[in-house]
Amino acid sequence: GAVVSQHPSRVICKSGTSVKIECRSLDFQATTMFWYRQFPKQSLMLMATSNEGSKATYEQGVEKDKFLINHASLTLSTLTVTSAHPEDSSFYICSAGGTGGNYGYTFGSGTRLTVV
Amino acid sequence: GQSLEQPSEVTAVEGAIVQINCTYQTSGFYGLSWYQQHDGGAPTFLSYNGLDGLEETGRFSSFLSRSDSYGYLLLQELQMKDSASYFCAVDSSYKLIFGSGTRLLVRP
């Protein structure tokens, strides 16, 4: 089945630095990738939708200059958290859309970001 | 706005049956999915309804009524490993919007 590989699984960074999270579709081409953020015991909140070769579409309230998304190829999308602050500490999850079959969206394993 | 409402917590006994409801209000609707998430893990797909009715996948079944903007997930023969969070999600305008999540606790 479809597999999305997400790295790193955990990252700790200092306040003010930037962190890049990668998502790769291993056995299929993902024209669309979704990025979610999840705070403890809360739901997954969609941050942005990225389409290969075009600018990402951000959800209302998400700062596009802070969360930079690049989807330069059909198998790789990246999310860079710039000038991270402790309030950005969260679980970030990517998902490839419409992989067919069971109509499900395939999720990466998530990245636990802790900003100290 | 868009909203998906679920009960926050449900407790059930091992071997029992439990139903988790989901009501939704979204700007577009192409289908309702259900996902399971264990603490610290990523969501895993359970079931999908694009049309009204019941879909059965092993111990899990899901139901949809588009006219009522309502669906539910039915878990049968509960096992301890089913303790997790369950999310309904609407496929809306080519993106997936998640519900608030239901934490299921299965007791021996």
Side-chain angles (χ1 to χ4, degrees):
Chain A
V3 176
V4 173
S5 175
Q6 183 172 347
H7 294 280
S9 57
R10 289 179 177 273
V11 59
I12 301 174
C13 71
K14 290 185 177 181
S15 188
T17 62
S18 295
V19 173
K20 179 184 284 188
I21 301 169
E22 291 189 352
C23 268
R24 294 180 183 273
S25 54
L26 297 186
D27 49 4
F28 66 99
Q29 293 182 331
T31 54
T32 303
M33 197 78 83
F34 303 91
W35 287 94
Y36 293 85
R37 178 169 53 183
Q38 185 178 33
F39 293 107
K41 301 190 188 303
Q42 294 189 23
S43 186
L44 285 80
M45 299 304 297
L46 181 65
M47 299 175 67
T49 304
S50 74
N51 294 291
E52 185 267 337
S54 63
K55 289 184 178 181
T57 302
Y58 291 80
E59 296 298 305
Q60 192 171 6
V62 178
E63 300 174 60
K64 59 181 67 176
D65 293 331
K66 180 169 184 61
F67 300 99
L68 301 179
I69 291 173
N70 184 281
H71 195 160
S73 78
L74 288 171
T75 59
L76 175 64
S77 178
T78 61
L79 167 68
T80 301
V81 183
T82 63
S83 186
H85 292 285
E87 57 265 31
D88 298 324
S89 298
S90 187
F91 192 50
Y92 292 87
I93 313 172
C94 63
S95 169
T99 51
N102 60 17
Y103 305 98
Y105 290 69
T106 304
F107 285 82
S109 53
T111 298
R112 176 76 57 191
L113 170 64
T114 303
V115 184
V116 298
Chain B
Q2 307 199 87
S3 68
L4 289 85
E5 298 295 328
Q6 304 177 232
S8 58
E9 287 187 0
V10 174
T11 301
V13 177
E14 195 175 13
I17 299 173
V18 72
Q19 178 174 313
I20 299 174
N21 299 321
C22 173
T23 57
Y24 60 87
Q25 183 177 354
T26 58
S27 57
F29 181 86
Y30 296 94
L32 184 71
S33 302
W34 289 91
Y35 288 83
Q36 179 192 63
Q37 186 182 33
H38 286 96
D39 287 345
T44 55
F45 174 80
L46 293 177
S47 189
Y48 173 84
N49 294 76
L51 300 173
D52 289 353
L54 190 68
E55 291 287 337
E56 298 180 82
T57 310
R59 294 190 297 115
F60 299 149
S61 303
S62 59
F63 171 83
L64 174 66
S65 169
R66 287 174 298 172
S67 60
D68 295 323
S69 297
Y70 164 77
Y72 66 71
L73 177 69
L74 194 71
L75 297 85
Q76 303 181 70
E77 301 172 19
L78 281 175
Q79 302 175 9
M80 298 298 292
K81 66 178 182 179
D82 295 331
S83 292
S85 292
Y86 292 84
F87 295 91
C88 59
V90 166
D91 195 338
S92 167
S93 301
Y94 305 108
K95 57 186 178 183
L96 206 57
I97 306 298
F98 280 81
S100 49
T102 299
R103 198 164 185 85
L104 171 64
L105 175 62
V106 180
R107 292 181 173 172

